[in-house]
Amino acid sequence: MDTRISDWVVQRVLRRVMGPLVPLAATITALLVGAAMVWGFGGDPVEGYRAMFTGAFGGISEFADTTVKATPLLLVGVGICIAFRASVINIGGEGQIIAGALLSTVVVLALPDLHRGALLPLALIAGAVGGACMGFIPGVLKAYANVNEILSTIMLNIVAGYMMQYLLLGPMIDKAAVEAGNHIAQTKRLSENADLPILLGDTQMNLGIVIGVAVAIAVFFLLWRTSLGYEIRAVGGSKDASRYAGMKVERRIVQALTLSGMMSGLGGAVLVFSSVAHRLSVESGPAGFTQLAGFNGIVAALFGGLHPLWTIPAAILFGGLLVGANALQRAVQVATPLVVALSGLVVVFVVSSDRAVRWARRVVEQFEGGEGSDTGRSDGAVAPPAPSPSGGQAGDP
């Protein structure tokens, strides 16, 4: 193979794999630091990590539990990818999950006898609409009033949490349980017609993971194969240039945050209809229901280099980490806060890896500018073709 073509292939491969590999290296580093912590507290890190791995991926049942944990992370993470591509930051996943869960539950409570083939899709759509509404508000505030979207989305998380507690302790509470003297903030058992079908025998793996993967693929096509996706990414690259090119910048920002909220809302609906209790409950607080997927989904998105397709394995990996952490705690008998700290270490290292990604990209760019690159050649040879514009904008993983 011609040296110039091989160099071009190497550069292109490096650009594609760099985004996912650097967070993976950061995770391995975090696990090494975590191993030192486990050893420092008197545990056996090798035994602990063996238990962690087998607890998450050691069998069909364990992998099924991992997919259940990964599904909301995947849906939130895909939504985060859309927002970040428009250069807006959505921290409101928690509130959007709650809004989606509430609206979908209201629909199922209102139409319990509707046929399964109609009720389940209707409930999932309602969840997506609920999340979209919670994303639309900060989108409008950001686009037309320049309100910081980080602050507005965080504040809406609090609003959604209190709204959930009010509704589940009031209008939506299980009336039969109240008459029996039980005042737990939860709805009655929802219609079986809204249960997500189980995919594998006696496991908990359900249709939610299929929905999550399908949504991730759809978002990939939206961002890289449609004019709307192109404009969202263009706005994220440069608002001024996009406005000069005639794009409706404000509208694209609103659409990006609305779509992002829609994905999280769908995740909220999946959480409700795949739950073991088959009801919406806030007994242990809003965070107990969401399982902090609104924040952990951000990590999954960063883990996947803010690319919808790479977010799929990233969410499964991080879901496995969450599931396996419990097995680690049981195996080496370390304190529960240490397990939480281990998960936090992964978050810190992955988020910090962004700087390493930038450094690696600069190295690749310098490599492209060297002797093997098409730039600066004086021999008049024909250079390899430039990457297609459809392959993504600068900074794509």
Side-chain angles (χ1 to χ4, degrees), residues 48 239 269 307 379 384 392:
K239 291 183 178 62
H307 192 290
D379 55 4

Side-chain angles (χ1 to χ4, degrees), residues 219-231:
V219 168
F220 166 73
F221 278 95
L222 169 72
L223 287 176
W224 275 276
R225 296 294 185 269
T226 68
S227 58
L228 173 60
Y230 173 79
E231 292 194 11

Side-chain angles (χ1 to χ4, degrees), residues 167-207:
L167 291 174
L168 292 184
L169 282 171
M172 295 174 68
I173 196 170
D174 184 359
K175 300 292 191 304
V178 171
E179 293 174 358
N182 185 348
H183 291 269
I184 296 177
Q186 63 183 19
T187 65
K188 65 180 182 180
R189 205 289 188 194
L190 299 173
S191 170
E192 294 182 0
N193 290 343
D195 292 349
L196 281 172
I198 298 295
L199 299 181
L200 280 179
D202 297 329
T203 71
Q204 294 298 316
M205 182 183 289
N206 56 64
L207 189 63

